[in-house]
Amino acid sequence: MNPKVDFYFDKATKWQKEVEQLRKIVLSCGLDEELKWGCPCYTFEGTNIVLIHDFKEYCALLLFKGALLNDPNGILIQQTKNVQAARQIRFTNLKEIIKLASTLKAYIYEAIEVEKAGLKVKLKKTTEFPMPDEFKKALNKNAALKTAFKALTPGRQRGYLLYFSQAKQSTTREARIEKYTKAILNGKGLND
């Protein structure tokens, strides 16, 4: 246990007992406990394996390379269609966690083996993500914007493409592009 992470388990939340039980299970697998993104993250030789997090409707284990795991129990969930590698196992009560303890350990041990083997999730290339026409036009009109966008990391590029594409109306897409043009020119991502 890492004392820096204790606050997460000490705060009174709807899922306090559940996340405490998940912590026990994950720690029994021999992983190191760290705090990342404000959540307990468990690593193997410095590489992220699993994260505990809670939401309004459920708490979950997030397996960073869950897409590579066998899922004989059918419990791995892709959070959204745009999440490529990670998979969640969701819980809505303590009994579920206790009942699945040995299964959870098996999934975590498999995730460790995936990491030891050096397996990687084949991610979609940025060019495979749709680019809204409004953004194509903005890039064609502004050479500096086009250069700056190409210089961004693939993750930042995907973030912008997804965010711009999610807007249903052209005017909203245009407003989003205008709002974030300066950030792109400065080499920043959506959340920087």
Side-chain angles (χ1 to χ4, degrees):
M1 283 193 208
N2 181 340
K4 291 179 182 175
V5 183
D6 287 343
F7 88 93
Y8 187 88
F9 299 97
D10 293 341
K11 61 184 180 179
T13 68
K14 178 179 180 179
W15 305 110
Q16 188 171 6
K17 290 177 182 165
E18 288 82 0
V19 295
E20 286 172 357
Q21 185 64 35
L22 290 172
R23 184 187 203 189
K24 288 176 190 173
I25 292 168
V26 176
L27 285 173
S28 74
C29 296
L31 296 173
D32 295 320
E33 185 176 57
E34 300 180 30
L35 187 65
K36 295 186 179 184
W37 309 285
C39 296
C41 183
Y42 300 86
T43 62
F44 173 76
E45 295 180 356
T47 303
N48 300 334
I49 301 293
V50 64
L51 180 94
I52 295 173
H53 53 173
D54 58 288
F55 298 88
K56 187 176 176 182
E57 301 297 325
Y58 61 89
C59 63
L61 284 181
L62 178 114
L63 294 147
F64 284 89
K65 291 185 179 177
L68 297 177
L69 301 179
N70 294 311
D71 187 15
N73 301 84
I75 58 176
L76 294 176
I77 297 169
Q78 185 175 3
Q79 279 178 279
T80 69
K81 65 179 179 136
N82 296 318
V83 173
Q84 296 183 65
R87 297 293 182 268
Q88 282 184 333
I89 305 172
R90 297 178 180 173
F91 307 96
T92 56
N93 64 64
L94 185 60
K95 288 179 184 176
E96 287 176 311
I97 297 167
I98 293 168
K99 183 179 174 185
L100 284 175
S102 62
T103 301
L104 297 176
K105 287 181 185 182
Y107 279 61
I108 293 166
Y109 286 131
E110 183 182 354
I112 294 167
E113 292 305 314
V114 162
E115 199 53 51
K116 284 180 181 177
L119 300 178
K120 304 264 186 230
V121 174
K122 188 173 189 245
L123 301 175
K124 285 175 29 179
K125 294 179 181 167
T126 303
T127 54
E128 295 177 64
F129 286 84
M131 182 180 290
D133 289 337
E134 296 84 357
F135 193 49
K136 286 178 190 173
K137 288 177 188 172
L139 294 177
N140 289 333
K141 283 183 184 176
N142 186 336
L145 180 62
K146 189 173 194 174
T147 302
F149 183 73
K150 285 184 177 183
L152 293 174
T153 63
R156 286 181 172 159
Q157 289 178 6
R158 285 190 299 271
Y160 281 118
L161 292 176
L162 290 170
Y163 181 66
F164 297 156
S165 297
Q166 287 171 347
K168 290 182 175 38
Q169 296 184 8
S170 180
T171 54
T172 307
R173 288 189 293 273
E174 289 171 352
R176 287 180 177 187
I177 292 162
E178 186 178 322
K179 179 179 178 181
Y180 283 98
T181 294
K182 185 176 179 182
I184 294 170
L185 290 169
N186 290 325
K188 306 257 186 220
L190 271 174
N191 300 316
D192 293 345

